[in-house]
Amino acid sequence: MKIFATGFNYLEYNKTADNPLSDKESPVLFTKADSSLLKGGRPFFLPDDLGPVHYETELVVRICRLGKSVPVRFAHRYYDAVTCGIDFTAVDVLRRLASKGLPWDLSKSFDGAAAIGEWVALDQTAGVQDLHFHLDINGQTVQRGYTKDMLCRVDELIAFISRFFTLRTGDILFTGAPSPSAPVHENDHLVGYVEDKKVLEFNVK
């Protein structure tokens, strides 16, 4: 199982970024270790020695079949469900690595850094590019997104990724955060939604 993730895929997020996706010739792609996957409502444990950890709320897509070099026009056949996920980021570590041109792994791929909720079948939705999602922390909405605002659509991301990686059933794709984020703290209660359906709920320890 592979965890793919996308950076700089929303204009609002890019307004605070030094290297927005709109200036790139291709999507900004990175991966997370399978040990970073957090699901089933298990708590997220703040890591030691990494400094502040920020939430980045994203729509997550589940790959449902084997594929390689998938054309954009057929990409919709390769995923079947979505959920709300959190791409946890050790922001100080990320800035330090990025400033030196080093890989992001330590800041993005630590244990628990890829939280996902329950899957929602695509045939129960209005379509992957017409979905609202949001995150509440301690009862207050802190981040909202709408997939129509993506700079690279899901089908485009699938086609791009499959040029370099063979897609396999069970792989997942984080599609990017819609806006700037903030740190999580011990005892925070996080709840994520796709439209009005609660799909994600866990605590920070």
Side-chain angles (χ1 to χ4, degrees):
M1 187 272 295
K2 299 183 291 298
I3 303 173
F4 301 105
T6 311
F8 307 110
N9 201 24
Y10 285 85
L11 183 60
E12 186 65 26
Y13 184 96
N14 292 353
K15 289 179 180 178
T16 61
D18 295 328
N19 296 294
L21 179 59
S22 55
D23 291 342
K24 305 293 183 184
E25 295 180 358
S26 60
V28 176
L29 180 71
F30 58 98
T31 60
K32 288 173 172 273
D34 58 3
S35 57
S36 68
L37 189 65
L38 181 71
K39 60 182 181 178
R42 290 180 295 162
F44 171 68
F45 290 93
L46 285 168
D48 296 328
D49 305 322
L50 290 183
V53 173
H54 282 210
Y55 59 82
E56 294 190 7
T57 314
E58 309 190 12
L59 189 85
V60 182
V61 174
R62 182 177 70 188
I63 303 302
C64 64
R65 62 190 298 183
L66 186 72
K68 176 68 175 176
S69 299
V70 178
V72 172
R73 67 182 183 278
F74 297 135
H76 65 279
R77 302 177 181 177
Y78 288 81
Y79 54 94
D80 64 352
V82 297
T83 192
C84 182
I86 309 295
D87 168 20
F88 283 114
T89 305
V91 291
D92 287 352
V93 177
L94 176 60
R95 293 187 186 107
R96 184 173 71 249
L97 294 171
S99 70
K100 298 178 180 179
L102 297 174
W104 297 357
D105 300 58
L106 185 59
S107 67
K108 289 278 195 179
S109 195
F110 51 86
D111 288 354
I116 63 170
E118 299 175 2
W119 295 108
V120 178
L122 270 179
D123 59 13
Q124 298 177 15
T125 74
V128 73
Q129 297 300 155
D130 190 19
L131 290 174
H132 295 86
F133 58 97
H134 71 274
L135 175 70
D136 290 356
I137 297 182
N138 303 328
Q140 180 178 356
T141 299
V142 296
Q143 200 166 34
R144 292 183 179 273
Y146 180 37
T147 58
K148 191 171 285 187
D149 295 331
M150 287 181 183
L151 298 178
C152 280
R153 297 179 295 112
V154 172
D155 288 358
E156 294 168 337
L157 293 173
I158 295 292
F160 177 78
I161 291 168
S162 69
R163 288 167 53 191
F164 308 98
F165 300 89
T166 298
L167 301 175
R168 299 186 185 279
T169 300
D171 289 349
I172 62 177
L173 168 62
F174 284 72
T175 57
S179 60
S181 62
V184 293
H185 304 92
E186 188 175 348
N187 297 320
D188 279 348
H189 182 66
L190 278 64
V191 182
Y193 295 82
V194 174
E195 296 294 341
D196 59 354
K197 182 178 177 61
K198 181 170 71 174
V199 295
L200 176 69
E201 185 172 12
F202 63 97
N203 295 314
V204 178
K205 299 291 188 181

